[in-house]
Amino acid sequence: MSRTRIIRIATRSSPMALAQAEHVAELLERLGVQSELVKVTTAGDRWMGDLSKLGGKGAFVKEIDHALLVDDADLAVHCLKDIPGDIPVPEGLAFAGYLARDDVHDAVITGNGAPLAEQPAGTVVGTSSVRRTAQLLLHYPHLTVQPLRGNVNTRLARLEEGHVDVLIAAVSGLHRVGQQHRITETLDLETMCPPIGAGIIALECRSDDSRLRDLGAQLDHAETHRQADAERAMLHALQGHCNSPIAGYATTDRTGRLTLHGKVFSADGAQWLDSKHWGVPEDPQALGFFVGADLLRQGARAIIDAIPH
């Protein structure tokens, strides 16, 4: 295969997705590899209703995966949090690597500049995330949560137009689109546990494309890779669906030891389960399955199955 091959990078066409893909293109350029973007508008981008009616988070990745499978693109750039954990990566595709993880926290953006705890009763928070909704109802029961879909720029516009009073958005995403100055407060991880794969950009390619797998390995961040493997193993063990408020994140201490903190919530936040364990870096998936099994032992299956999907 020619070393002068131009790598076609498939990406969603939202501002944040394009920023991520352009970052990957810059990294490839440092390796002496030319690339071009292949913009894909996914079903999840087109649909402004309930994501579960489209099959959940997979609505953001199916068309991009298809572009790889039919050779319309060579490399896909995904937010790992958008890739379902209850179904395997399509046959013929493989993760090529994970970029170094960004901030996993969620940020609050308020119209009046006051933090969540100081918002008056009935303040409207716009979010379509079942994970965020459950934790908002748990910790801030005086607030009103209303569905709000769209990319972060669209949601910021809704806030400015007065459709909602407050937004919750990923800190990493706000930085990627240059809107970090809008942050009112950053929520701690006990108050707002992040989604599986938060802050991780995943690279995907055809499993038989050795050139792309080699490039992905050069861009791969080993610590992030281990954290992603632990988190996704937990998610797979839980077999949650798109309406399951499942949250969790792995961290690595100075000795390299992995810790995984997982949570499962009921839709209204009234019930929640919590599991935190550590494991060796050589087997992150074992840690993920262990935490998932612990949550199942505590009753996670009943909570997940009680939520319609």
Side-chain angles (χ1 to χ4, degrees), residues 3 26-33 211 214-215 218-219:
R3 303 294 289 185
E26 290 171 4
L27 294 175
L28 289 173
E29 188 174 2
R30 293 178 197 173
L31 297 176
V33 177
R211 170 91 165 106
D214 176 63
L215 286 172
Q218 292 181 65
L219 298 178

Side-chain angles (χ1 to χ4, degrees), residues 123-183:
T123 294
V124 177
V125 183
T127 180
S128 291
S129 162
V130 293
R131 173 191 60 86
R132 287 173 176 151
T133 297
Q135 294 180 85
L136 285 168
L137 294 173
L138 172 63
H139 296 293
Y140 303 98
H142 67 293
L143 303 178
T144 299
V145 181
Q146 289 186 0
L148 183 65
R149 285 283 319 284
N151 64 54
V152 67
N153 300 74
T154 301
R155 287 181 281 139
L156 285 167
R158 296 292 182 269
L159 175 67
E160 291 166 358
E161 294 162 2
H163 294 282
V164 296
D165 305 309
V166 178
L167 288 181
I168 311 293
V171 170
S172 60
L174 289 166
H175 277 270
R176 286 171 193 161
V177 296
Q179 295 291 335
Q180 63 270 24
H181 61 281
R182 305 289 297 273
I183 295 174

Side-chain angles (χ1 to χ4, degrees), residues 198-230:
I200 299 176
I201 295 174
L203 307 178
E204 187 183 40
C205 67
R206 289 180 295 278
S207 52
D208 63 356
D209 192 332
S210 58
R211 170 91 165 106
L212 264 296
R213 297 194 75 159
D214 176 63
L215 286 172
Q218 292 181 65
L219 298 178
D220 187 56
H221 186 258
E223 181 180 318
T224 298
H225 198 139
R226 287 190 290 269
Q227 293 175 0
D229 283 350

Side-chain angles (χ1 to χ4, degrees), residues 59-136:
F60 289 119
V61 300
K62 285 180 182 176
E63 281 101 332
I64 294 176
D65 285 349
H66 180 71
L68 289 179
L69 289 169
V70 300
D71 198 21
D72 285 340
D74 305 302
L75 182 69
V77 178
H78 294 300
C79 287
L80 186 60
K81 67 179 180 58
D82 290 334
I83 301 178
D86 57 333
I87 54 176
V89 171
E91 186 176 354
L93 300 183
F95 288 123
Y98 301 100
L99 303 190
R101 188 170 216 164
D102 291 324
D103 196 319
V104 303
H105 292 80
D106 273 333
V108 176
I109 302 168
T110 63
N112 60 12
L116 277 186
E118 296 176 16
Q119 295 293 327
T123 294
V124 177
V125 183
T127 180
S128 291
S129 162
V130 293
R131 173 191 60 86
R132 287 173 176 151
T133 297
Q135 294 180 85
L136 285 168

